[in-house]
Amino acid sequence: MRIAFGKPIIEFQGLQWKLADMETGTAAARELLYKACAMADRSEPLLPKYSSMAKLFASDNAMKVTVEAVQVLGGYGYVNEYPVERMMRDAKITQIYEGTNEIQRVVIARSMT
Ligand SMILES: Cc1cc2nc3c(=O)[nH]c(=O)nc-3n(C[C@H](O)[C@H](O)[C@H](O)COP(=O)(O)OP(=O)(O)OC[C@H]3O[C@@H](n4cnc5c(N)ncnc54)[C@H](O)[C@@H]3O)c2cc1C
């Protein structure tokens, strides 16, 4: 447990808010993914839109969460002896491959016209 200024750092509200946002974003990403998977099972016509939204949201969230995880862990988050900096890099590629997130946005926007 990391102690700073005489307290476990989890007791600082600034860090609690970060963790709450990370948890909320990840739960939302999971729900959108499950929805897209259920639509795939039923071959629904809006599947391309929802699969793009799931890929976009989950990968952007993964990037946001891992950047915050590095921040929360301070120096231990940054150095490569610990896995968190690798997780941040791994999250980055999910915004790039399988259709970049810019292209996912193009697909989503086209489905709205
Ligand atoms: C580690 C890794 C693993 C990979 N694995 C595979 C794999 O298994 N199979 C496979 O087929 N490919 C794979 N790829 C390739 C990956 O899909 C491409 O890197 C990705 O599609 C982006 O293409 P590009 O690198 O040519 O970038 P570019 O097409 O040159 O794009 C560069 C930037 O411009 C943006 N951009 C391009 N066109 C537009 C547009 N019309 N509007 C807005 N923005 C745009 C892109 O979003 C991106 O940000 C992998 C790549 C990496 C790095």
Side-chain angles (χ1 to χ4, degrees):
M1 186 194 317
R2 173 81 175 131
I3 307 274
F5 301 99
K7 276 184 174 182
I9 58 171
I10 188 63
E11 289 182 17
F12 295 115
Q13 198 173 50
L15 286 193
Q16 291 172 357
W17 287 356
K18 275 189 202 298
L19 296 179
D21 286 346
M22 291 155 80
E23 183 81 346
T24 304
T26 302
R30 189 181 300 119
E31 291 303 315
L32 195 49
L33 176 63
Y34 286 166
K35 181 169 175 69
C37 291
M39 292 174 96
D41 284 344
R42 295 191 291 263
S43 302
E44 290 190 19
L46 284 178
L47 173 61
K49 177 184 185 181
Y50 274 83
S51 56
S52 284
M53 291 197 299
K55 194 275 183 182
L56 169 67
F57 191 80
S59 56
D60 279 358
N61 181 67
M63 195 69 235
K64 211 183 306 174
V65 164
T66 52
V67 167
E68 289 290 43
V70 167
Q71 190 71 23
V72 166
L73 292 173
Y76 290 131
Y78 183 77
V79 294
N80 64 10
E81 282 86 1
Y82 293 91
V84 182
E85 63 87 30
R86 181 187 54 76
M87 290 170 186
M88 182 173 68
R89 193 177 161 80
D90 287 350
K92 186 64 209 170
I93 190 57
T94 67
Q95 294 180 308
I96 295 171
Y97 63 16
E98 296 296 335
T100 66
N101 283 7
E102 287 77 14
I103 299 304
Q104 303 301 337
R105 286 183 172 90
V106 170
V107 172
I108 296 161
R110 277 192 190 145
S111 77
M112 296 166 70
T113 55

mmCIF file of all heavy atoms in Angstrom, residues 21-22 25-26 28-30 32 51-68 87-88 90-97 99-105 108:
data_model
loop_
_atom_site.group_PDB
_atom_site.id
_atom_site.type_symbol
_atom_site.label_atom_id
_atom_site.label_comp_id
_atom_site.label_asym_id
_atom_site.label_seq_id
_atom_site.Cartn_x
_atom_site.Cartn_y
_atom_site.Cartn_z
ATOM 1 N N ASP A 21 -13.990 6.953 -12.227
ATOM 2 C CA ASP A 21 -14.153 7.188 -13.665
ATOM 3 C C ASP A 21 -13.638 6.002 -14.481
ATOM 4 O O ASP A 21 -14.250 5.612 -15.489
ATOM 5 C CB ASP A 21 -13.407 8.464 -14.098
ATOM 6 C CG ASP A 21 -14.118 9.732 -13.645
ATOM 7 O OD1 ASP A 21 -15.307 9.647 -13.245
ATOM 8 O OD2 ASP A 21 -13.494 10.815 -13.693
ATOM 9 N N MET A 22 -12.530 5.420 -14.034
ATOM 10 C CA MET A 22 -11.971 4.262 -14.745
ATOM 11 C C MET A 22 -12.949 3.092 -14.705
ATOM 12 O O MET A 22 -13.189 2.415 -15.705
ATOM 13 C CB MET A 22 -10.619 3.862 -14.113
ATOM 14 C CG MET A 22 -9.520 4.885 -14.360
ATOM 15 S SD MET A 22 -8.220 4.847 -13.098
ATOM 16 C CE MET A 22 -7.238 3.451 -13.622
ATOM 17 N N GLY A 25 -16.166 3.933 -16.900
ATOM 18 C CA GLY A 25 -15.893 3.846 -18.340
ATOM 19 C C GLY A 25 -15.748 2.395 -18.783
ATOM 20 O O GLY A 25 -16.232 2.003 -19.851
ATOM 21 N N THR A 26 -15.114 1.582 -17.948
ATOM 22 C CA THR A 26 -14.892 0.180 -18.313
ATOM 23 C C THR A 26 -16.208 -0.597 -18.291
ATOM 24 O O THR A 26 -16.466 -1.426 -19.178
ATOM 25 C CB THR A 26 -13.845 -0.445 -17.372
ATOM 26 O OG1 THR A 26 -12.645 0.338 -17.474
ATOM 27 C CG2 THR A 26 -13.534 -1.877 -17.740
ATOM 28 N N ALA A 28 -19.151 0.706 -18.895
ATOM 29 C CA ALA A 28 -19.911 1.170 -20.066
ATOM 30 C C ALA A 28 -19.376 0.507 -21.344
ATOM 31 O O ALA A 28 -20.155 0.083 -22.212
ATOM 32 C CB ALA A 28 -19.829 2.692 -20.166
ATOM 33 N N ALA A 29 -18.053 0.411 -21.450
ATOM 34 C CA ALA A 29 -17.446 -0.226 -22.625
ATOM 35 C C ALA A 29 -17.873 -1.690 -22.714
ATOM 36 O O ALA A 29 -18.201 -2.196 -23.795
ATOM 37 C CB ALA A 29 -15.916 -0.130 -22.547
ATOM 38 N N ARG A 30 -17.901 -2.375 -21.563
ATOM 39 C CA ARG A 30 -18.289 -3.793 -21.531
ATOM 40 C C ARG A 30 -19.733 -3.957 -21.998
ATOM 41 O O ARG A 30 -20.059 -4.839 -22.796
ATOM 42 C CB ARG A 30 -18.110 -4.326 -20.102
ATOM 43 C CG ARG A 30 -18.278 -5.827 -19.990
ATOM 44 C CD ARG A 30 -18.126 -6.293 -18.546
ATOM 45 N NE ARG A 30 -16.839 -5.970 -17.980
ATOM 46 C CZ ARG A 30 -16.642 -5.179 -16.909
ATOM 47 N NH1 ARG A 30 -17.675 -4.639 -16.275
ATOM 48 N NH2 ARG A 30 -15.444 -4.931 -16.463
ATOM 49 N N LEU A 32 -21.499 -1.988 -23.961
ATOM 50 C CA LEU A 32 -21.621 -1.714 -25.397
ATOM 51 C C LEU A 32 -21.093 -2.904 -26.202
ATOM 52 O O LEU A 32 -21.673 -3.278 -27.231
ATOM 53 C CB LEU A 32 -20.842 -0.423 -25.725
ATOM 54 C CG LEU A 32 -21.097 0.256 -27.057
ATOM 55 C CD1 LEU A 32 -22.579 0.438 -27.347
ATOM 56 C CD2 LEU A 32 -20.377 1.602 -27.097
ATOM 57 N N SER A 51 -20.932 -2.232 -33.715
ATOM 58 C CA SER A 51 -19.605 -2.831 -33.534
ATOM 59 C C SER A 51 -18.539 -1.746 -33.629
ATOM 60 O O SER A 51 -17.546 -1.760 -32.888
ATOM 61 C CB SER A 51 -19.358 -3.985 -34.511
ATOM 62 O OG SER A 51 -19.537 -3.560 -35.824
ATOM 63 N N SER A 52 -18.759 -0.746 -34.511
ATOM 64 C CA SER A 52 -17.817 0.386 -34.578
ATOM 65 C C SER A 52 -17.846 1.187 -33.278
ATOM 66 O O SER A 52 -16.794 1.585 -32.763
ATOM 67 C CB SER A 52 -18.164 1.319 -35.746
ATOM 68 O OG SER A 52 -17.766 0.740 -36.954
ATOM 69 N N MET A 53 -19.051 1.405 -32.740
ATOM 70 C CA MET A 53 -19.143 2.171 -31.481
ATOM 71 C C MET A 53 -18.474 1.417 -30.339
ATOM 72 O O MET A 53 -17.801 2.015 -29.502
ATOM 73 C CB MET A 53 -20.613 2.479 -31.152
ATOM 74 C CG MET A 53 -21.230 3.474 -32.112
ATOM 75 S SD MET A 53 -22.762 4.251 -31.519
ATOM 76 C CE MET A 53 -23.829 2.853 -31.328
ATOM 77 N N ALA A 54 -18.641 0.085 -30.321
ATOM 78 C CA ALA A 54 -18.027 -0.714 -29.250
ATOM 79 C C ALA A 54 -16.505 -0.677 -29.356
ATOM 80 O O ALA A 54 -15.804 -0.485 -28.358
ATOM 81 C CB ALA A 54 -18.538 -2.153 -29.318
ATOM 82 N N LYS A 55 -15.989 -0.830 -30.578
ATOM 83 C CA LYS A 55 -14.527 -0.821 -30.774
ATOM 84 C C LYS A 55 -13.964 0.556 -30.407
ATOM 85 O O LYS A 55 -12.945 0.673 -29.716
ATOM 86 C CB LYS A 55 -14.219 -1.188 -32.236
ATOM 87 C CG LYS A 55 -12.775 -1.537 -32.520
ATOM 88 C CD LYS A 55 -11.891 -0.346 -32.795
ATOM 89 C CE LYS A 55 -10.483 -0.783 -33.145
ATOM 90 N NZ LYS A 55 -9.587 0.356 -33.369
ATOM 91 N N LEU A 56 -14.617 1.598 -30.878
ATOM 92 C CA LEU A 56 -14.172 2.970 -30.610
ATOM 93 C C LEU A 56 -14.176 3.268 -29.111
ATOM 94 O O LEU A 56 -13.169 3.709 -28.538
ATOM 95 C CB LEU A 56 -15.107 3.941 -31.340
ATOM 96 C CG LEU A 56 -15.001 5.426 -30.999
ATOM 97 C CD1 LEU A 56 -13.659 5.977 -31.458
ATOM 98 C CD2 LEU A 56 -16.133 6.208 -31.669
ATOM 99 N N PHE A 57 -15.294 2.986 -28.467
ATOM 100 C CA PHE A 57 -15.437 3.366 -27.064
ATOM 101 C C PHE A 57 -14.529 2.534 -26.161
ATOM 102 O O PHE A 57 -13.881 3.060 -25.245
ATOM 103 C CB PHE A 57 -16.904 3.226 -26.629
ATOM 104 C CG PHE A 57 -17.177 3.833 -25.286
ATOM 105 C CD1 PHE A 57 -17.350 5.202 -25.152
ATOM 106 C CD2 PHE A 57 -17.250 3.044 -24.148
ATOM 107 C CE1 PHE A 57 -17.584 5.775 -23.907
ATOM 108 C CE2 PHE A 57 -17.479 3.609 -22.899
ATOM 109 C CZ PHE A 57 -17.651 4.977 -22.780
ATOM 110 N N ALA A 58 -14.470 1.221 -26.433
ATOM 111 C CA ALA A 58 -13.651 0.344 -25.576
ATOM 112 C C ALA A 58 -12.170 0.673 -25.708
ATOM 113 O O ALA A 58 -11.443 0.710 -24.705
ATOM 114 C CB ALA A 58 -13.915 -1.116 -25.922
ATOM 115 N N SER A 59 -11.717 0.955 -26.924
ATOM 116 C CA SER A 59 -10.275 1.221 -27.086
ATOM 117 C C SER A 59 -9.913 2.613 -26.558
ATOM 118 O O SER A 59 -8.859 2.778 -25.919
ATOM 119 C CB SER A 59 -9.851 1.035 -28.549
ATOM 120 O OG SER A 59 -10.611 1.849 -29.401
ATOM 121 N N ASP A 60 -10.780 3.603 -26.795
ATOM 122 C CA ASP A 60 -10.507 4.935 -26.217
ATOM 123 C C ASP A 60 -10.516 4.860 -24.686
ATOM 124 O O ASP A 60 -9.704 5.496 -24.007
ATOM 125 C CB ASP A 60 -11.537 5.974 -26.688
ATOM 126 C CG ASP A 60 -11.217 6.528 -28.070
ATOM 127 O OD1 ASP A 60 -10.178 6.133 -28.656
ATOM 128 O OD2 ASP A 60 -12.002 7.357 -28.579
ATOM 129 N N ASN A 61 -11.445 4.063 -24.146
ATOM 130 C CA ASN A 61 -11.497 3.915 -22.689
ATOM 131 C C ASN A 61 -10.246 3.202 -22.170
ATOM 132 O O ASN A 61 -9.687 3.597 -21.136
ATOM 133 C CB ASN A 61 -12.756 3.144 -22.281
ATOM 134 C CG ASN A 61 -12.860 3.001 -20.787
ATOM 135 O OD1 ASN A 61 -13.053 3.981 -20.070
ATOM 136 N ND2 ASN A 61 -12.683 1.791 -20.281
ATOM 137 N N ALA A 62 -9.806 2.177 -22.886
ATOM 138 C CA ALA A 62 -8.601 1.443 -22.460
ATOM 139 C C ALA A 62 -7.399 2.391 -22.406
ATOM 140 O O ALA A 62 -6.578 2.337 -21.482
ATOM 141 C CB ALA A 62 -8.324 0.283 -23.410
ATOM 142 N N MET A 63 -7.320 3.287 -23.391
ATOM 143 C CA MET A 63 -6.213 4.251 -23.413
ATOM 144 C C MET A 63 -6.295 5.191 -22.211
ATOM 145 O O MET A 63 -5.316 5.420 -21.495
ATOM 146 C CB MET A 63 -6.278 5.051 -24.730
ATOM 147 C CG MET A 63 -5.030 5.816 -25.049
ATOM 148 S SD MET A 63 -3.684 4.696 -25.457
ATOM 149 C CE MET A 63 -2.447 5.206 -24.300
ATOM 150 N N LYS A 64 -7.513 5.714 -21.994
ATOM 151 C CA LYS A 64 -7.719 6.657 -20.892
ATOM 152 C C LYS A 64 -7.394 5.995 -19.543
ATOM 153 O O LYS A 64 -6.707 6.558 -18.697
ATOM 154 C CB LYS A 64 -9.197 7.097 -20.910
ATOM 155 C CG LYS A 64 -9.435 8.496 -20.423
ATOM 156 C CD LYS A 64 -10.911 8.865 -20.383
ATOM 157 C CE LYS A 64 -11.669 8.670 -21.670
ATOM 158 N NZ LYS A 64 -13.115 8.911 -21.547
ATOM 159 N N VAL A 65 -7.892 4.769 -19.373
ATOM 160 C CA VAL A 65 -7.717 4.064 -18.100
ATOM 161 C C VAL A 65 -6.249 3.733 -17.843
ATOM 162 O O VAL A 65 -5.752 3.888 -16.716
ATOM 163 C CB VAL A 65 -8.584 2.775 -18.083
ATOM 164 C CG1 VAL A 65 -8.151 1.832 -16.976
ATOM 165 C CG2 VAL A 65 -10.057 3.143 -17.921
ATOM 166 N N THR A 66 -5.543 3.295 -18.884
ATOM 167 C CA THR A 66 -4.139 2.903 -18.653
ATOM 168 C C THR A 66 -3.258 4.128 -18.415
ATOM 169 O O THR A 66 -2.308 4.063 -17.633
ATOM 170 C CB THR A 66 -3.588 2.030 -19.803
ATOM 171 O OG1 THR A 66 -3.822 2.698 -21.047
ATOM 172 C CG2 THR A 66 -4.245 0.659 -19.825
ATOM 173 N N VAL A 67 -3.571 5.252 -19.079
ATOM 174 C CA VAL A 67 -2.818 6.486 -18.805
ATOM 175 C C VAL A 67 -3.041 6.895 -17.348
ATOM 176 O O VAL A 67 -2.094 7.250 -16.627
ATOM 177 C CB VAL A 67 -3.242 7.626 -19.773
ATOM 178 C CG1 VAL A 67 -2.723 8.977 -19.297
ATOM 179 C CG2 VAL A 67 -2.724 7.346 -21.178
ATOM 180 N N GLU A 68 -4.275 6.807 -16.884
ATOM 181 C CA GLU A 68 -4.566 7.142 -15.483
ATOM 182 C C GLU A 68 -3.911 6.153 -14.531
ATOM 183 O O GLU A 68 -3.453 6.529 -13.447
ATOM 184 C CB GLU A 68 -6.083 7.180 -15.240
ATOM 185 C CG GLU A 68 -6.796 8.356 -15.881
ATOM 186 C CD GLU A 68 -6.472 9.687 -15.235
ATOM 187 O OE1 GLU A 68 -5.300 9.962 -14.931
ATOM 188 O OE2 GLU A 68 -7.418 10.462 -15.045
ATOM 189 N N MET A 87 0.838 -2.119 -20.531
ATOM 190 C CA MET A 87 -0.615 -2.110 -20.753
ATOM 191 C C MET A 87 -1.040 -0.837 -21.479
ATOM 192 O O MET A 87 -1.936 -0.848 -22.327
ATOM 193 C CB MET A 87 -1.360 -2.230 -19.423
ATOM 194 C CG MET A 87 -1.219 -3.594 -18.774
ATOM 195 S SD MET A 87 -1.878 -3.576 -17.102
ATOM 196 C CE MET A 87 -1.409 -5.211 -16.533
ATOM 197 N N MET A 88 -0.382 0.287 -21.154
ATOM 198 C CA MET A 88 -0.700 1.555 -21.824
ATOM 199 C C MET A 88 -0.355 1.467 -23.313
ATOM 200 O O MET A 88 -1.146 1.862 -24.170
ATOM 201 C CB MET A 88 0.079 2.690 -21.153
ATOM 202 C CG MET A 88 -0.206 4.054 -21.726
ATOM 203 S SD MET A 88 0.580 5.365 -20.768
ATOM 204 C CE MET A 88 2.312 5.077 -21.094
ATOM 205 N N ASP A 90 -0.095 -1.343 -25.030
ATOM 206 C CA ASP A 90 -1.027 -2.314 -25.620
ATOM 207 C C ASP A 90 -2.388 -1.661 -25.889
ATOM 208 O O ASP A 90 -3.051 -1.973 -26.879
ATOM 209 C CB ASP A 90 -1.234 -3.515 -24.676
ATOM 210 C CG ASP A 90 -0.024 -4.430 -24.634
ATOM 211 O OD1 ASP A 90 0.899 -4.250 -25.462
ATOM 212 O OD2 ASP A 90 0.012 -5.329 -23.768
ATOM 213 N N ALA A 91 -2.812 -0.769 -24.991
ATOM 214 C CA ALA A 91 -4.091 -0.086 -25.210
ATOM 215 C C ALA A 91 -4.008 0.790 -26.457
ATOM 216 O O ALA A 91 -4.958 0.882 -27.231
ATOM 217 C CB ALA A 91 -4.454 0.753 -23.985
ATOM 218 N N LYS A 92 -2.850 1.413 -26.669
ATOM 219 C CA LYS A 92 -2.703 2.335 -27.811
ATOM 220 C C LYS A 92 -2.949 1.632 -29.136
ATOM 221 O O LYS A 92 -3.632 2.163 -30.013
ATOM 222 C CB LYS A 92 -1.296 2.969 -27.788
ATOM 223 C CG LYS A 92 -1.080 4.035 -28.835
ATOM 224 C CD LYS A 92 -1.993 5.233 -28.624
ATOM 225 C CE LYS A 92 -2.315 5.932 -29.917
ATOM 226 N NZ LYS A 92 -3.377 6.950 -29.780
ATOM 227 N N ILE A 93 -2.418 0.397 -29.255
ATOM 228 C CA ILE A 93 -2.582 -0.276 -30.558
ATOM 229 C C ILE A 93 -4.052 -0.575 -30.836
ATOM 230 O O ILE A 93 -4.482 -0.607 -31.984
ATOM 231 C CB ILE A 93 -1.702 -1.550 -30.666
ATOM 232 C CG1 ILE A 93 -1.696 -2.103 -32.104
ATOM 233 C CG2 ILE A 93 -2.143 -2.636 -29.705
ATOM 234 C CD1 ILE A 93 -1.227 -1.136 -33.143
ATOM 235 N N THR A 94 -4.860 -0.737 -29.776
ATOM 236 C CA THR A 94 -6.282 -1.042 -30.028
ATOM 237 C C THR A 94 -7.012 0.161 -30.643
ATOM 238 O O THR A 94 -8.075 -0.001 -31.214
ATOM 239 C CB THR A 94 -7.022 -1.518 -28.746
ATOM 240 O OG1 THR A 94 -7.113 -0.446 -27.808
ATOM 241 C CG2 THR A 94 -6.336 -2.712 -28.109
ATOM 242 N N GLN A 95 -6.425 1.364 -30.534
ATOM 243 C CA GLN A 95 -7.019 2.525 -31.218
ATOM 244 C C GLN A 95 -6.603 2.564 -32.688
ATOM 245 O O GLN A 95 -7.159 3.330 -33.469
ATOM 246 C CB GLN A 95 -6.578 3.827 -30.549
ATOM 247 C CG GLN A 95 -7.095 4.011 -29.133
ATOM 248 C CD GLN A 95 -6.632 5.326 -28.526
ATOM 249 O OE1 GLN A 95 -5.434 5.636 -28.532
ATOM 250 N NE2 GLN A 95 -7.565 6.108 -28.021
ATOM 251 N N ILE A 96 -5.591 1.763 -33.028
ATOM 252 C CA ILE A 96 -5.030 1.834 -34.384
ATOM 253 C C ILE A 96 -5.451 0.648 -35.251
ATOM 254 O O ILE A 96 -5.906 0.832 -36.390
ATOM 255 C CB ILE A 96 -3.484 1.929 -34.318
ATOM 256 C CG1 ILE A 96 -3.068 3.238 -33.647
ATOM 257 C CG2 ILE A 96 -2.870 1.808 -35.707
ATOM 258 C CD1 ILE A 96 -1.575 3.347 -33.334
ATOM 259 N N TYR A 97 -5.315 -0.601 -34.698
ATOM 260 C CA TYR A 97 -5.593 -1.725 -35.620
ATOM 261 C C TYR A 97 -7.069 -2.094 -35.635
ATOM 262 O O TYR A 97 -7.878 -1.505 -34.952
ATOM 263 C CB TYR A 97 -4.663 -2.906 -35.390
ATOM 264 C CG TYR A 97 -4.702 -3.635 -34.059
ATOM 265 C CD1 TYR A 97 -5.732 -3.496 -33.156
ATOM 266 C CD2 TYR A 97 -3.653 -4.511 -33.747
ATOM 267 C CE1 TYR A 97 -5.735 -4.206 -31.970
ATOM 268 C CE2 TYR A 97 -3.654 -5.223 -32.567
ATOM 269 C CZ TYR A 97 -4.696 -5.061 -31.685
ATOM 270 O OH TYR A 97 -4.693 -5.760 -30.531
ATOM 271 N N GLY A 99 -9.110 -1.345 -37.914
ATOM 272 C CA GLY A 99 -9.832 -0.127 -38.298
ATOM 273 C C GLY A 99 -9.540 0.949 -37.280
ATOM 274 O O GLY A 99 -9.955 0.841 -36.117
ATOM 275 N N THR A 100 -8.799 1.987 -37.709
ATOM 276 C CA THR A 100 -8.442 3.041 -36.744
ATOM 277 C C THR A 100 -9.711 3.706 -36.197
ATOM 278 O O THR A 100 -10.773 3.642 -36.825
ATOM 279 C CB THR A 100 -7.549 4.125 -37.396
ATOM 280 O OG1 THR A 100 -8.312 4.804 -38.393
ATOM 281 C CG2 THR A 100 -6.280 3.536 -37.993
ATOM 282 N N ASN A 101 -9.571 4.353 -35.063
ATOM 283 C CA ASN A 101 -10.755 4.964 -34.464
ATOM 284 C C ASN A 101 -11.294 6.131 -35.283
ATOM 285 O O ASN A 101 -12.492 6.426 -35.223
ATOM 286 C CB ASN A 101 -10.463 5.361 -33.013
ATOM 287 C CG ASN A 101 -10.485 4.143 -32.104
ATOM 288 O OD1 ASN A 101 -10.586 3.013 -32.584
ATOM 289 N ND2 ASN A 101 -10.401 4.355 -30.803
ATOM 290 N N GLU A 102 -10.432 6.758 -36.086
ATOM 291 C CA GLU A 102 -10.940 7.793 -36.999
ATOM 292 C C GLU A 102 -11.912 7.145 -37.996
ATOM 293 O O GLU A 102 -12.990 7.680 -38.276
ATOM 294 C CB GLU A 102 -9.786 8.475 -37.754
ATOM 295 C CG GLU A 102 -8.939 9.419 -36.918
ATOM 296 C CD GLU A 102 -7.951 8.701 -35.992
ATOM 297 O OE1 GLU A 102 -7.714 7.486 -36.169
ATOM 298 O OE2 GLU A 102 -7.409 9.358 -35.081
ATOM 299 N N ILE A 103 -11.510 5.977 -38.503
ATOM 300 C CA ILE A 103 -12.365 5.302 -39.497
ATOM 301 C C ILE A 103 -13.642 4.764 -38.837
ATOM 302 O O ILE A 103 -14.720 4.791 -39.433
ATOM 303 C CB ILE A 103 -11.567 4.184 -40.221
ATOM 304 C CG1 ILE A 103 -10.366 4.790 -40.969
ATOM 305 C CG2 ILE A 103 -12.455 3.387 -41.167
ATOM 306 C CD1 ILE A 103 -10.689 5.892 -41.970
ATOM 307 N N GLN A 104 -13.536 4.312 -37.579
ATOM 308 C CA GLN A 104 -14.769 3.889 -36.870
ATOM 309 C C GLN A 104 -15.738 5.065 -36.783
ATOM 310 O O GLN A 104 -16.949 4.893 -36.952
ATOM 311 C CB GLN A 104 -14.451 3.381 -35.451
ATOM 312 C CG GLN A 104 -13.466 2.236 -35.359
ATOM 313 C CD GLN A 104 -13.870 0.979 -36.114
ATOM 314 O OE1 GLN A 104 -15.050 0.760 -36.388
ATOM 315 N NE2 GLN A 104 -12.897 0.164 -36.469
ATOM 316 N N ARG A 105 -15.193 6.254 -36.545
ATOM 317 C CA ARG A 105 -16.069 7.445 -36.460
ATOM 318 C C ARG A 105 -16.715 7.736 -37.815
ATOM 319 O O ARG A 105 -17.870 8.167 -37.878
ATOM 320 C CB ARG A 105 -15.274 8.663 -35.975
ATOM 321 C CG ARG A 105 -14.939 8.598 -34.493
ATOM 322 C CD ARG A 105 -14.203 9.862 -34.013
ATOM 323 N NE ARG A 105 -14.066 9.852 -32.566
ATOM 324 C CZ ARG A 105 -13.031 9.317 -31.896
ATOM 325 N NH1 ARG A 105 -12.023 8.771 -32.556
ATOM 326 N NH2 ARG A 105 -12.997 9.329 -30.578
ATOM 327 N N ILE A 108 -19.572 5.280 -38.138
ATOM 328 C CA ILE A 108 -20.698 5.661 -37.266
ATOM 329 C C ILE A 108 -21.442 6.862 -37.848
ATOM 330 O O ILE A 108 -22.673 6.869 -37.936
ATOM 331 C CB ILE A 108 -20.195 5.970 -35.837
ATOM 332 C CG1 ILE A 108 -19.606 4.715 -35.205
ATOM 333 C CG2 ILE A 108 -21.330 6.527 -34.968
ATOM 334 C CD1 ILE A 108 -18.678 4.983 -34.014
#
